[in-house]
Short mmCIF file of all heavy atoms in Angstrom, two decimals:
data_model
loop_
_atom_site.label_atom_id
_atom_site.label_comp_id
_atom_site.label_asym_id
_atom_site.label_seq_id
_atom_site.Cartn_x
_atom_site.Cartn_y
_atom_site.Cartn_z
N TYR A 50 -5.03 -13.35 23.16
CA TYR A 50 -6.07 -14.40 23.14
C TYR A 50 -5.98 -15.27 24.39
O TYR A 50 -6.98 -15.59 25.02
CB TYR A 50 -5.91 -15.30 21.90
CG TYR A 50 -6.24 -14.63 20.59
CD1 TYR A 50 -5.46 -14.85 19.46
CD2 TYR A 50 -7.35 -13.81 20.45
CE1 TYR A 50 -5.75 -14.24 18.25
CE2 TYR A 50 -7.65 -13.19 19.24
CZ TYR A 50 -6.84 -13.42 18.14
OH TYR A 50 -7.14 -12.82 16.96
N CYS A 141 -14.35 -24.15 17.90
CA CYS A 141 -15.16 -23.15 18.61
C CYS A 141 -15.76 -22.07 17.68
O CYS A 141 -16.91 -21.67 17.87
CB CYS A 141 -14.30 -22.47 19.68
SG CYS A 141 -13.63 -23.65 20.86
N THR A 142 -14.98 -21.60 16.72
CA THR A 142 -15.50 -20.52 15.87
C THR A 142 -16.73 -20.98 15.07
O THR A 142 -17.76 -20.28 15.06
CB THR A 142 -14.39 -19.96 14.97
OG1 THR A 142 -13.33 -19.50 15.82
CG2 THR A 142 -14.88 -18.83 14.10
N PRO A 143 -16.69 -22.15 14.43
CA PRO A 143 -17.90 -22.61 13.74
C PRO A 143 -19.09 -22.82 14.68
O PRO A 143 -20.23 -22.51 14.32
CB PRO A 143 -17.47 -23.94 13.10
CG PRO A 143 -16.00 -23.88 13.02
CD PRO A 143 -15.53 -23.03 14.15
N ILE A 165 -17.89 -19.77 2.56
CA ILE A 165 -16.75 -19.39 1.71
C ILE A 165 -15.49 -19.57 2.55
O ILE A 165 -15.30 -18.87 3.53
CB ILE A 165 -16.88 -17.94 1.20
CG1 ILE A 165 -18.30 -17.68 0.68
CG2 ILE A 165 -15.86 -17.67 0.10
CD1 ILE A 165 -18.56 -16.23 0.31
N GLY A 166 -14.67 -20.53 2.16
CA GLY A 166 -13.48 -20.91 2.94
C GLY A 166 -13.60 -22.36 3.36
O GLY A 166 -14.70 -22.80 3.73
N ARG A 167 -12.50 -23.11 3.30
CA ARG A 167 -12.55 -24.56 3.62
C ARG A 167 -11.40 -24.97 4.52
O ARG A 167 -10.85 -26.06 4.37
CB ARG A 167 -12.53 -25.38 2.33
CG ARG A 167 -11.36 -25.05 1.43
CD ARG A 167 -11.28 -25.95 0.22
NE ARG A 167 -10.34 -25.42 -0.74
CZ ARG A 167 -10.03 -26.00 -1.88
NH1 ARG A 167 -10.61 -27.12 -2.23
NH2 ARG A 167 -9.16 -25.45 -2.71
N SER A 168 -11.02 -24.08 5.45
CA SER A 168 -9.93 -24.43 6.37
C SER A 168 -10.41 -25.46 7.39
O SER A 168 -11.62 -25.58 7.66
CB SER A 168 -9.44 -23.19 7.11
OG SER A 168 -10.41 -22.76 8.03
N ASN A 169 -9.45 -26.18 8.00
CA ASN A 169 -9.80 -27.15 9.05
C ASN A 169 -10.33 -26.45 10.29
O ASN A 169 -11.07 -27.03 11.08
CB ASN A 169 -8.58 -27.98 9.43
CG ASN A 169 -8.21 -28.96 8.35
OD1 ASN A 169 -9.05 -29.29 7.51
ND2 ASN A 169 -6.98 -29.42 8.36
N LEU A 170 -9.92 -25.21 10.47
CA LEU A 170 -10.29 -24.46 11.67
C LEU A 170 -11.71 -23.91 11.58
O LEU A 170 -12.43 -23.86 12.57
CB LEU A 170 -9.29 -23.31 11.87
CG LEU A 170 -9.36 -22.50 13.15
CD1 LEU A 170 -9.09 -23.39 14.35
CD2 LEU A 170 -8.37 -21.35 13.10
N VAL A 171 -12.11 -23.44 10.39
CA VAL A 171 -13.41 -22.77 10.29
C VAL A 171 -14.31 -23.42 9.22
O VAL A 171 -15.35 -23.99 9.53
CB VAL A 171 -13.25 -21.26 9.99
CG1 VAL A 171 -14.61 -20.57 10.06
CG2 VAL A 171 -12.26 -20.58 10.93
N GLY A 172 -13.93 -23.30 7.96
CA GLY A 172 -14.84 -23.64 6.86
C GLY A 172 -15.35 -25.08 6.91
O GLY A 172 -16.56 -25.33 6.90
N ARG A 173 -14.41 -26.05 6.97
CA ARG A 173 -14.84 -27.46 6.90
C ARG A 173 -15.74 -27.86 8.07
O ARG A 173 -16.82 -28.45 7.86
CB ARG A 173 -13.63 -28.39 6.82
CG ARG A 173 -13.01 -28.41 5.46
CD ARG A 173 -11.74 -29.25 5.46
NE ARG A 173 -10.94 -28.90 4.30
CZ ARG A 173 -10.90 -29.60 3.18
NH1 ARG A 173 -11.61 -30.70 3.07
NH2 ARG A 173 -10.16 -29.21 2.16
N ALA A 189 -17.49 -23.00 -0.89
CA ALA A 189 -16.73 -22.24 -1.89
C ALA A 189 -15.31 -22.00 -1.37
O ALA A 189 -15.07 -22.02 -0.16
CB ALA A 189 -17.43 -20.92 -2.18
N HIS A 190 -14.39 -21.77 -2.29
CA HIS A 190 -12.97 -21.60 -1.94
C HIS A 190 -12.29 -20.82 -3.05
O HIS A 190 -12.97 -20.29 -3.95
CB HIS A 190 -12.34 -22.98 -1.71
CG HIS A 190 -12.70 -23.97 -2.75
ND1 HIS A 190 -12.14 -23.95 -4.00
CD2 HIS A 190 -13.62 -24.96 -2.75
CE1 HIS A 190 -12.68 -24.89 -4.72
NE2 HIS A 190 -13.59 -25.52 -3.99
N SER A 191 -10.97 -20.78 -3.00
CA SER A 191 -10.26 -19.88 -3.92
C SER A 191 -10.40 -20.31 -5.39
O SER A 191 -10.16 -19.51 -6.28
CB SER A 191 -8.78 -19.80 -3.55
OG SER A 191 -8.16 -21.04 -3.74
N ARG A 192 -10.78 -21.55 -5.62
CA ARG A 192 -10.92 -22.00 -7.02
C ARG A 192 -12.38 -21.97 -7.49
O ARG A 192 -12.67 -22.37 -8.62
CB ARG A 192 -10.39 -23.42 -7.20
CG ARG A 192 -9.07 -23.72 -6.55
CD ARG A 192 -7.93 -22.99 -7.25
NE ARG A 192 -6.72 -23.09 -6.44
CZ ARG A 192 -5.85 -24.10 -6.50
NH1 ARG A 192 -6.05 -25.07 -7.35
NH2 ARG A 192 -4.79 -24.11 -5.74
N SER A 193 -13.29 -21.54 -6.63
CA SER A 193 -14.70 -21.52 -7.03
C SER A 193 -14.91 -20.48 -8.12
O SER A 193 -14.28 -19.43 -8.12
CB SER A 193 -15.59 -21.19 -5.83
OG SER A 193 -15.46 -22.18 -4.84
N LEU A 196 -18.38 -16.49 -7.55
CA LEU A 196 -18.86 -16.47 -6.16
C LEU A 196 -20.13 -15.64 -6.00
O LEU A 196 -21.00 -15.98 -5.22
CB LEU A 196 -17.78 -15.85 -5.26
CG LEU A 196 -16.77 -16.77 -4.61
CD1 LEU A 196 -15.81 -15.96 -3.77
CD2 LEU A 196 -17.52 -17.77 -3.73
N ALA A 208 -18.71 -16.06 5.61
CA ALA A 208 -17.47 -15.66 4.94
C ALA A 208 -16.31 -15.91 5.88
O ALA A 208 -16.21 -15.29 6.94
CB ALA A 208 -17.55 -14.19 4.55
N ALA A 209 -15.43 -16.86 5.52
CA ALA A 209 -14.26 -17.21 6.35
C ALA A 209 -13.06 -17.33 5.43
O ALA A 209 -12.58 -18.42 5.15
CB ALA A 209 -14.52 -18.50 7.11
N VAL A 210 -12.62 -16.20 4.95
CA VAL A 210 -11.63 -16.16 3.87
C VAL A 210 -10.34 -15.47 4.32
O VAL A 210 -9.24 -15.96 4.06
CB VAL A 210 -12.23 -15.41 2.65
CG1 VAL A 210 -11.22 -15.36 1.50
CG2 VAL A 210 -13.53 -16.05 2.21
N GLY A 211 -10.47 -14.32 4.95
CA GLY A 211 -9.29 -13.53 5.29
C GLY A 211 -8.93 -12.54 4.20
O GLY A 211 -7.77 -12.19 4.02
N ARG A 212 -9.95 -12.06 3.46
CA ARG A 212 -9.73 -11.02 2.44
C ARG A 212 -10.70 -9.88 2.73
O ARG A 212 -11.93 -10.07 2.66
CB ARG A 212 -9.99 -11.57 1.03
CG ARG A 212 -8.95 -12.60 0.62
CD ARG A 212 -9.35 -13.25 -0.68
NE ARG A 212 -9.24 -12.32 -1.80
CZ ARG A 212 -8.19 -12.25 -2.60
NH1 ARG A 212 -7.16 -13.05 -2.41
NH2 ARG A 212 -8.16 -11.40 -3.59
N MET A 215 -14.30 -8.72 0.83
CA MET A 215 -14.39 -9.39 -0.47
C MET A 215 -15.84 -9.59 -0.93
O MET A 215 -16.17 -9.43 -2.09
CB MET A 215 -13.69 -10.75 -0.38
CG MET A 215 -13.63 -11.47 -1.70
SD MET A 215 -13.00 -13.16 -1.52
CE MET A 215 -14.49 -14.02 -1.03
N TRP A 220 -23.79 -8.99 -4.05
CA TRP A 220 -23.73 -10.45 -4.22
C TRP A 220 -24.86 -11.13 -3.45
O TRP A 220 -25.16 -12.30 -3.67
CB TRP A 220 -22.43 -11.03 -3.63
CG TRP A 220 -21.17 -10.64 -4.31
CD1 TRP A 220 -20.97 -9.63 -5.21
CD2 TRP A 220 -19.89 -11.27 -4.11
NE1 TRP A 220 -19.65 -9.59 -5.58
CE2 TRP A 220 -18.96 -10.58 -4.92
CE3 TRP A 220 -19.45 -12.32 -3.32
CZ2 TRP A 220 -17.61 -10.93 -4.97
CZ3 TRP A 220 -18.11 -12.67 -3.36
CH2 TRP A 220 -17.20 -11.98 -4.19
N ASP A 229 -20.02 -13.02 9.33
CA ASP A 229 -18.70 -12.61 8.83
C ASP A 229 -17.62 -13.07 9.82
O ASP A 229 -17.48 -12.50 10.91
CB ASP A 229 -18.69 -11.09 8.67
CG ASP A 229 -17.46 -10.60 7.94
OD1 ASP A 229 -16.53 -11.41 7.71
OD2 ASP A 229 -17.43 -9.40 7.59
N VAL A 230 -16.87 -14.10 9.44
CA VAL A 230 -15.85 -14.65 10.32
C VAL A 230 -14.53 -13.87 10.20
O VAL A 230 -13.72 -13.85 11.12
CB VAL A 230 -15.61 -16.15 10.01
CG1 VAL A 230 -14.60 -16.76 10.96
CG2 VAL A 230 -16.92 -16.93 10.07
N GLY A 231 -14.34 -13.23 9.08
CA GLY A 231 -13.05 -12.62 8.77
C GLY A 231 -12.61 -11.56 9.78
O GLY A 231 -13.43 -10.81 10.31
N ILE A 232 -11.31 -11.58 10.06
CA ILE A 232 -10.71 -10.51 10.88
C ILE A 232 -9.50 -10.02 10.08
O ILE A 232 -8.51 -10.74 9.96
CB ILE A 232 -10.25 -11.03 12.26
CG1 ILE A 232 -11.43 -11.62 13.03
CG2 ILE A 232 -9.59 -9.92 13.06
CD1 ILE A 232 -11.04 -12.21 14.38
N ASN A 233 -9.61 -8.85 9.53
CA ASN A 233 -8.51 -8.30 8.72
C ASN A 233 -8.09 -6.96 9.30
O ASN A 233 -8.94 -6.12 9.59
CB ASN A 233 -8.99 -8.10 7.27
CG ASN A 233 -9.58 -9.37 6.67
OD1 ASN A 233 -8.86 -10.32 6.39
ND2 ASN A 233 -10.90 -9.39 6.50
N ARG A 234 -6.78 -6.80 9.48
CA ARG A 234 -6.26 -5.55 10.04
C ARG A 234 -5.79 -4.66 8.90
O ARG A 234 -4.86 -5.02 8.18
CB ARG A 234 -5.12 -5.84 11.02
CG ARG A 234 -5.61 -6.50 12.29
CD ARG A 234 -4.52 -6.92 13.24
NE ARG A 234 -5.12 -7.38 14.50
CZ ARG A 234 -5.62 -8.61 14.67
NH1 ARG A 234 -5.57 -9.48 13.69
NH2 ARG A 234 -6.18 -8.94 15.82
N VAL A 245 -11.52 -4.99 9.82
CA VAL A 245 -12.69 -5.18 8.94
C VAL A 245 -12.87 -6.68 8.69
O VAL A 245 -11.93 -7.46 8.80
CB VAL A 245 -12.58 -4.43 7.59
CG1 VAL A 245 -12.41 -2.94 7.78
CG2 VAL A 245 -11.45 -4.99 6.73
N GLY A 246 -14.07 -7.04 8.31
CA GLY A 246 -14.37 -8.43 8.03
C GLY A 246 -14.14 -8.78 6.57
O GLY A 246 -13.53 -8.02 5.80
N ASP A 247 -14.67 -9.93 6.17
CA ASP A 247 -14.57 -10.38 4.78
C ASP A 247 -15.76 -9.88 3.95
O ASP A 247 -15.84 -10.16 2.76
CB ASP A 247 -14.56 -11.92 4.74
CG ASP A 247 -13.26 -12.50 5.26
OD1 ASP A 247 -12.26 -11.75 5.34
OD2 ASP A 247 -13.23 -13.71 5.58
N GLY A 266 -18.83 -9.43 16.53
CA GLY A 266 -19.69 -10.51 16.03
C GLY A 266 -19.13 -11.86 16.41
O GLY A 266 -19.09 -12.23 17.60
N VAL A 267 -18.64 -12.58 15.39
CA VAL A 267 -18.16 -13.95 15.59
C VAL A 267 -17.02 -14.03 16.61
O VAL A 267 -16.96 -14.95 17.43
CB VAL A 267 -17.70 -14.54 14.23
CG1 VAL A 267 -17.08 -15.92 14.41
CG2 VAL A 267 -18.86 -14.59 13.25
N GLY A 268 -16.11 -13.05 16.55
CA GLY A 268 -14.93 -13.08 17.42
C GLY A 268 -15.31 -13.21 18.89
O GLY A 268 -14.62 -13.89 19.66
N GLN A 269 -16.42 -12.60 19.28
CA GLN A 269 -16.87 -12.65 20.67
C GLN A 269 -17.27 -14.05 21.09
O GLN A 269 -17.23 -14.41 22.26
CB GLN A 269 -18.09 -11.73 20.85
CG GLN A 269 -17.82 -10.27 20.61
CD GLN A 269 -17.09 -9.66 21.78
OE1 GLN A 269 -17.30 -10.07 22.92
NE2 GLN A 269 -16.23 -8.70 21.51
N MET A 270 -17.71 -14.84 20.10
CA MET A 270 -18.29 -16.14 20.42
C MET A 270 -17.24 -17.22 20.61
O MET A 270 -17.50 -18.24 21.27
CB MET A 270 -19.22 -16.59 19.27
CG MET A 270 -20.40 -15.70 19.05
SD MET A 270 -21.49 -15.65 20.47
CE MET A 270 -22.15 -17.32 20.48
N THR A 271 -16.05 -17.02 20.02
CA THR A 271 -15.08 -18.11 19.99
C THR A 271 -14.69 -18.56 21.39
O THR A 271 -14.71 -19.75 21.71
CB THR A 271 -13.87 -17.71 19.13
OG1 THR A 271 -14.37 -17.46 17.80
CG2 THR A 271 -12.83 -18.81 19.05
N VAL A 272 -14.32 -17.61 22.26
CA VAL A 272 -13.89 -18.01 23.61
C VAL A 272 -15.10 -18.54 24.41
O VAL A 272 -14.97 -19.50 25.18
CB VAL A 272 -13.21 -16.84 24.35
CG1 VAL A 272 -12.74 -17.30 25.73
CG2 VAL A 272 -12.02 -16.33 23.56
P1 NDP B 1 -7.34 -19.84 6.00
O1 NDP B 1 -6.36 -18.91 5.36
O2 NDP B 1 -6.86 -21.10 6.63
O3 NDP B 1 -8.43 -20.24 4.90
C1 NDP B 1 -8.97 -19.29 4.02
C2 NDP B 1 -9.94 -19.96 3.08
O4 NDP B 1 -10.42 -18.95 2.19
C3 NDP B 1 -9.30 -21.04 2.21
O5 NDP B 1 -10.14 -22.17 2.16
C4 NDP B 1 -9.19 -20.39 0.84
O6 NDP B 1 -9.36 -21.26 -0.25
C5 NDP B 1 -10.33 -19.40 0.86
N1 NDP B 1 -10.08 -18.30 -0.07
C6 NDP B 1 -8.96 -17.56 -0.19
N2 NDP B 1 -9.11 -16.63 -1.15
C7 NDP B 1 -10.35 -16.81 -1.65
C8 NDP B 1 -11.09 -16.18 -2.68
N3 NDP B 1 -10.59 -15.18 -3.42
N4 NDP B 1 -12.34 -16.61 -2.93
C9 NDP B 1 -12.87 -17.62 -2.22
N5 NDP B 1 -12.22 -18.26 -1.23
C10 NDP B 1 -10.98 -17.87 -0.95
O7 NDP B 1 -8.15 -18.94 7.02
P2 NDP B 1 -9.04 -19.34 8.31
O8 NDP B 1 -10.15 -20.23 7.91
O9 NDP B 1 -8.18 -19.75 9.43
O10 NDP B 1 -9.63 -17.91 8.67
C11 NDP B 1 -10.46 -17.19 7.79
C12 NDP B 1 -10.71 -15.80 8.35
O11 NDP B 1 -11.37 -15.94 9.59
C13 NDP B 1 -9.44 -15.00 8.65
O12 NDP B 1 -9.73 -13.63 8.41
C14 NDP B 1 -9.21 -15.21 10.14
O13 NDP B 1 -8.53 -14.13 10.74
C15 NDP B 1 -10.64 -15.28 10.62
N6 NDP B 1 -10.81 -16.05 11.84
C16 NDP B 1 -11.59 -15.50 12.80
C17 NDP B 1 -11.82 -16.16 13.98
C18 NDP B 1 -12.72 -15.54 14.97
O14 NDP B 1 -12.72 -15.94 16.14
N7 NDP B 1 -13.56 -14.59 14.57
C19 NDP B 1 -11.21 -17.45 14.27
C20 NDP B 1 -10.48 -18.01 13.15
C21 NDP B 1 -10.28 -17.31 12.00
P3 NDP B 1 -8.33 -22.47 -0.63
O15 NDP B 1 -8.66 -23.56 0.34
O16 NDP B 1 -8.68 -22.79 -2.02
O17 NDP B 1 -6.95 -21.90 -0.45
#
Side-chain angles (χ1 to χ4, degrees):
Y50 290 139
C141 302
T142 302
I165 314 173
R167 55 175 168 178
S168 70
N169 288 340
L170 188 62
V171 187
R173 283 175 199 261
H190 45 76
S191 66
R192 315 291 169 87
S193 298
L196 269 180
V210 181
R212 292 172 70 96
M215 184 188 83
W220 294 14
D229 190 350
V230 183
I232 301 177
N233 306 289
R234 290 175 173 81
V245 301
D247 289 343
V267 175
Q269 296 283 328
M270 296 298 292
T271 299
V272 182

